[in-house]
């Protein structure tokens, strides 16, 4: 009984659907297939490009990560400043210390060297 | 926390900026270095030369003016270290972006300008610079030619032409060609006609010098005095000044310059020593290399102070370090040098006025070799070393020809400044000195005279001297020859990194401050003295308190004029062990 009813219902549904879709024609079979089953490399890349990633990040590690990143970026500047004294041909000052006359930048450098 | 992001957004907003930043971080330092390298004097020199080389002919002249003629660095007789001032006074470091060319670079540029340039003032400046540089190269004929060539380009009757005629006469005079100088001077007289008597004091000075060189000292003296004290202001033609900031002006205090020369002449006349003398020699470093293009000035002992334009006796050493000053009026002079930093760096030019007095006799040809010695290198104690043992051992590099050395110590004041040193020990025959700590404590640091005359305002740091564990002491050494003339010292210009050497600082921290010391450093000198007295009464072996009581009593007598303090000091001195002199 049940089977019969089902059969009937399905037939009715089908005829209704056919009736409703009478004006619609589906032509993009290929596009759909390309999306669901990518075949070419370009399409593959495109899919990758648009892929959505999901990360789980703890606030702590986010802060640490950002700090590390900034440090990494700043390191070349820091190294540069540490290794470079003011440039000689810029305004230089003479200073007197212990009866000698020095260029101030060289004197400071020497004092720093002796401290270490 | 969950972050959802599409790959494309991750790349666009995160990775790409990171890459750009990283690239900038890597590139920036090298770019800065490249920029800095392009700012060294040598790089700027090459760039300037290239720029001039490539410029169109009109632009070329403009650049020559800007880069080779105008910069004040090229003023005649201008040196980083100018004589006549304090030893430490130096010309301020030029911060202008020009003036990097060497004399050799400038010669062809200046030559070009005197051929093609139009501006009268700049032509004169260029011609003078050329004559000066050729003179320094020992090519005085070329110098004379440059002056003549520029002179020929001037409008007849123009001020510039007269100026250059005078320059030529002075140049000829300095080349010891008095007759040529006179001929040129006669031309000047003819051209100025009736204005002859009205010419400026420079004209009078040069004319007077010519007369003296020709053996007519009385006339020379008359000429030198003719425009002085005449009651009316001295009319003179105005030299077109090429740059207002330039020190190369012929009219800075011309009257006093003439007066100076007249005084020399009058003194010579009164002594009857009127035959032209000469002063020549070589200026070399201790290792034998000549000091090239250094200034040499014979200055009247009666008129020290900064070097003026129009000084009669000045010259520049040539490629062999040779100098030669002719037609000098006999008398006493002070010898002074003009040196640039690179000439001075690491070398000692000890200035003690008396040592550089030169006596030039009647008609005498003085040959005077000058040797600049290397700075003495201090070996110990240096670089803020702390003295730990019972003795302090001073040592330094020996100087050839030194008969003895003086070791001088400096005690810093409240602000850490040590302006004047006092002898730690004098006349040390060797290049080392060993003192026990007690001897060092007993060494005086000198006495400052307070402005208000109150003995309690003298600097307590100097009184406590080497007994102060908190002070940073410095020391230096001077070397003397057998005649007692200073030949070198450790203090001087140490500019390049190679010459910095050891720093002359040391500390003596073995003592701690006593209550009396603290009172002293607080400026309570009278209270400190009481306490030191009490300390000696309690412990007669307390030499440190004894030293301090003696120093304070000495200050009280020397500054305050307290006679009682003097006799008490004398009594205390008897209790000193050996021959200590606090």
């Amino acid at each position: 009984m049940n089977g019969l009813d089902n059969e009937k219902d399905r037939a009715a549904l089908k005829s209704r659907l056919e009736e409703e879709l009478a004006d619609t024609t589906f032509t993009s079979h290929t596009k759909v297939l390309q999306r669901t089953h990518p075949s070419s490399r370009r399409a593959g890349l495109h899919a990758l490009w648009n892929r959505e990633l999901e990360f789980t990040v703890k606030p702590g590690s986010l802060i640490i990560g950002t700090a590390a990143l900034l440090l990494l970026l700043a390191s070349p500047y820091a190294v540069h400043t540490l290794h470079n004294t003011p440039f000689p041909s810029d305004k230089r000052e003479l200073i007197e210390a212990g009866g000698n006359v020095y260029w101030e930048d060289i004197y400071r450098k020497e004092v720093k060297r002796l401290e270490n | 926390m969950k972050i959802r992001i599409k790959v494309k957004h991750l790349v666009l907003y995160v990775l790409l900026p990171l890459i750009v930043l990283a690239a900038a971080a890597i590139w920036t330092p090298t770019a800065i270095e490249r920029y800095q390298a392009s700012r060294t004097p040598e790089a700027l020199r090459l760039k300037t030369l290239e720029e001039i080389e490539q410029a169109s002919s009109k632009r070329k002249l403009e650049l020559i003016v800007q880069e080779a003629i105008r910069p004040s660095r090229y003023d005649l007789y201008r040196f980083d270290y100018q004589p006549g001032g304090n030893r430490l006074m130096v010309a301020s470091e030029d911060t202008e972006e020009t003036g990097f060319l060497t004399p050799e670079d400038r010669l062809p540029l200046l030559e070009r300008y005197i051929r093609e340039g139009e501006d009268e003032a700049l032509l004169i400046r260029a011609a003078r610079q050329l004559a000066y540089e050729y003179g320094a190269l020992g090519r005085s004929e070329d110098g004379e030619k440059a002056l003549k060539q520029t002179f020929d380009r001037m409008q007849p009757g123009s001020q510039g032409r007269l100026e250059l005629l005078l320059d030529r006469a002075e140049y000829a005079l300095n080349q010891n060609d008095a007759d040529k100088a006179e001929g040129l001077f006669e031309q000047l007289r003819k051209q100025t006609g009736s204005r002859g008597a009205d010419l400026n004091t420079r004209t009078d000075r040069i004319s007077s010098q010519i007369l003296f060189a020709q053996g007519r000292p009385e006339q020379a003296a008359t000429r030198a005095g003719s425009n002085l004290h005449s009651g009316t202001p001295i009319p003179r033609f105005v030299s077109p000044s090429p740059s207002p900031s330039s020190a190369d002006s012929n009219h800075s205090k011309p009257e006093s310059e003439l007066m100076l020369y007249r005084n020399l002449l009058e003194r010579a006349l009164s002594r009857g020593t009127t035959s032209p003398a000469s002063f020549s020699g070589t200026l070399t470093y201790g290792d034998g290399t000549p000091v090239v293009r250094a200034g040499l000035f014979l200055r009247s002992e009666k008129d020290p102070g900064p070097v003026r334009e129009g000084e009669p006796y000045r010259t520049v050493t040539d490629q062999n370090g040779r100098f030669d000053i002719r037609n000098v009026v006999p008398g006493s002079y002070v010898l002074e040098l003009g040196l640039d930093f690179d000439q001075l760096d690491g070398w000692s030019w000890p200035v003690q006025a008396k040592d550089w007095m030169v006596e030039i006799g009647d008609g005498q040809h003085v040959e005077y070799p000058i040797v600049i010695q290397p700075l003495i290198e201090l070996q110990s104690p240096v670089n803020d070393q702390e003295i730990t043992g019972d003795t302090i051992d001073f040592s330094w590099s020996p100087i050839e020809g030194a008969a003895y050395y003086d070791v001088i110590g400096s005690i810093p004041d409240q602000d850490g400044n040590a302006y004047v040193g006092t002898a730690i020990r004098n006349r040390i025959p060797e290049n080392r000195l060993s003192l026990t700590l007690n001897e060092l404590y007993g060494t005086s640091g000198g006495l400052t005279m307070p402005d208000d005359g109150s003995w309690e305002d003298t600097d307590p740091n100097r009184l406590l001297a080497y007994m102060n564990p908190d002070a940073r002491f410095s020391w230096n050494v001077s070397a003397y020859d057998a005649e007692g003339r200073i030949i070198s010292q450790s203090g001087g210009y140490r500019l390049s990194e190679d010459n910095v050497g050891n720093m002359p600082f040391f500390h003596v921290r073995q003592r701690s401050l006593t209550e009396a010391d603290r009172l002293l450093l607080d400026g309570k000198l009278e209270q400190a003295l009481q306490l030191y007295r009490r300390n000696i009464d309690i412990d007669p072996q307390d030499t440190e308190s004894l030293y301090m009581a003696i120093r304070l009593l000495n200050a009280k007598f020397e500054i305050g004029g307290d006679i009682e303090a003097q006799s008490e000091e004398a009594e205390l001195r008897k209790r000193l062990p050996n021959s200590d002199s606090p």
Side-chain angles (χ1 to χ4, degrees), chain B residues 465-481:
Chain B
Y466 302 99
M467 281 192 260
N468 188 348
D470 301 329
R472 186 190 194 210
F473 305 111
S474 63
W475 66 290
N476 54 71
V477 173
S478 306
Y480 297 83
D481 65 12

Side-chain angles (χ1 to χ4, degrees), chain A:
Chain A
M1 267 316 263
N2 223 349
L4 197 78
D5 278 357
N6 251 346
E7 198 84 350
K8 257 187 181 170
D9 282 353
R10 272 170 65 181
L13 206 67
K14 190 170 187 276
S15 69
R16 228 181 107 189
L17 192 66
E18 272 171 358
E19 199 177 301
E20 275 177 17
L21 291 175
D23 301 331
T24 315
T25 36
F26 187 67
T27 51
S28 298
H29 301 90
T30 43
K31 275 193 183 168
V32 173
L33 280 174
Q34 262 178 11
R35 283 221 178 169
T36 52
H37 300 86
S39 54
S40 76
R41 179 188 271 188
R42 197 183 144 168
L45 281 173
H46 191 257
L48 182 69
W49 188 238
N50 283 291
R51 201 157 119 201
E52 200 169 68
L53 303 173
E54 193 177 297
F55 306 95
T56 314
V57 189
K58 285 180 192 157
S61 48
L62 184 73
I63 291 165
I64 291 168
T66 316
L69 201 71
L70 285 175
L71 260 175
L72 198 73
L73 284 172
S75 63
Y77 291 106
V79 168
H80 179 79
T81 7
L82 281 176
H83 286 264
N84 283 274
T85 42
F87 183 59
S89 112
D90 283 341
K91 277 186 202 168
R92 292 181 97 180
E93 299 247 350
L94 288 170
I95 60 160
E96 211 228 312
N100 292 315
V101 180
Y102 304 97
W103 285 124
E104 194 174 5
D105 54 308
I106 292 182
Y107 177 75
R108 301 247 173 269
K109 209 161 108 184
E110 186 65 15
V111 168
K112 202 171 274 177
R113 193 184 68 80
L114 290 173
E115 277 168 3
N116 295 327

Side-chain angles (χ1 to χ4, degrees), chain A residues 80 84-90, chain B residues 28-47 100:
Chain A
H80 179 79
N84 283 274
T85 42
F87 183 59
S89 112
D90 283 341
Chain B
T28 318
T30 54
I32 291 172
E33 265 161 38
R34 262 208 312 277
Y35 173 75
Q36 287 188 340
S38 75
R39 309 306 292 170
T40 60
E42 182 57 18
L44 288 168
R45 173 187 159 245
L46 293 173
K47 193 176 145 238
F100 297 103

Side-chain angles (χ1 to χ4, degrees), chain B residues 221-508:
Chain B
T222 313
R223 177 64 51 81
S226 62
N227 270 333
L228 288 170
H229 308 303
S230 59
T232 49
I234 301 153
R236 53 176 179 265
F237 52 73
V238 179
S239 171
S241 182
S243 74
S245 65
S246 156
D248 186 20
S249 156
N250 279 307
H251 300 286
S252 52
K253 293 251 183 185
E255 290 86 357
S256 67
E257 151 203 335
L258 181 60
M259 200 124 54
L260 210 73
Y261 189 67
R262 193 193 56 173
N263 291 344
L264 286 174
L265 279 170
E266 283 179 351
R267 272 200 297 276
L269 278 169
S270 67
R271 280 196 308 260
T273 54
T274 52
S275 310
S278 71
F279 181 79
S280 49
T282 43
L283 179 62
T284 50
Y285 289 116
D287 62 3
T289 49
V291 187
V292 175
R293 210 174 172 279
L296 198 124
F297 304 80
L298 269 190
R299 315 200 57 215
S300 165
E301 61 164 327
K302 298 269 190 288
D303 186 66
V307 169
R308 276 192 284 267
E309 191 64 31
E311 293 250 338
Y313 305 128
R314 55 182 187 175
T315 189
V316 176
T317 57
D318 69 10
Q319 300 296 296
N320 303 313
R322 184 99 201 133
F323 56 85
D324 196 358
I325 300 178
R326 303 296 185 97
N327 299 312
V328 179
V329 176
S332 298
Y333 293 92
V334 177
L335 171 66
E336 293 188 16
L337 295 186
L339 295 163
D340 283 333
F341 288 145
D342 56 339
Q343 293 172 317
L344 207 54
D345 184 17
W347 297 94
S348 149
W349 170 240
V351 178
Q352 275 196 352
K354 272 190 184 162
D355 287 317
W356 303 102
M357 286 281 285
V358 185
E359 196 63 45
I360 299 180
D362 197 22
Q364 200 186 357
H365 298 288
V366 178
E367 176 71 20
Y368 199 94
I370 308 170
V371 182
I372 297 185
Q373 295 292 347
L375 288 176
I376 299 173
E377 293 304 325
L378 301 182
Q379 290 161 348
S380 166
V382 290
N383 300 337
D384 287 297
Q385 188 183 323
E386 199 176 322
I387 308 304
T388 49
D390 291 339
T391 57
I392 177 166
D393 298 302
F394 295 95
S395 65
W396 55 92
S397 65
I399 284 288
E400 214 181 302
Y404 64 89
Y405 301 90
D406 283 354
V407 173
I408 292 124
S410 298
I411 288 129
D413 64 13
Q414 221 86 351
D415 306 318
N417 297 316
Y419 298 107
V420 189
T422 46
I424 293 179
R425 289 294 183 272
N426 285 328
R427 302 187 78 92
I428 303 146
E430 290 169 310
N431 61 319
R432 73 189 81 92
L433 167 71
S434 189
L435 295 177
T436 64
L437 223 46
N438 198 40
E439 283 172 321
L440 183 71
Y441 289 161
T443 302
S444 161
L447 199 60
T448 55
M449 289 290 162
D451 295 334
D452 59 5
S454 157
W455 80 277
E456 283 201 87
D457 287 336
T458 187
D459 183 3
N461 294 280
R462 298 279 285 271
L463 291 174
L464 193 57
Y466 302 99
M467 281 192 260
N468 188 348
D470 301 329
R472 186 190 194 210
F473 305 111
S474 63
W475 66 290
N476 54 71
V477 173
S478 306
Y480 297 83
D481 65 12
E483 279 91 54
R485 296 203 316 180
I486 186 164
I487 49 178
S488 186
Q489 56 194 14
S490 63
Y493 285 81
R494 296 179 174 276
L495 302 177
S496 61
E497 277 172 79
D498 293 344
N499 286 325
V500 167
N502 289 322
M503 300 267 173
F505 299 107
F506 68 94
H507 303 262
V508 187

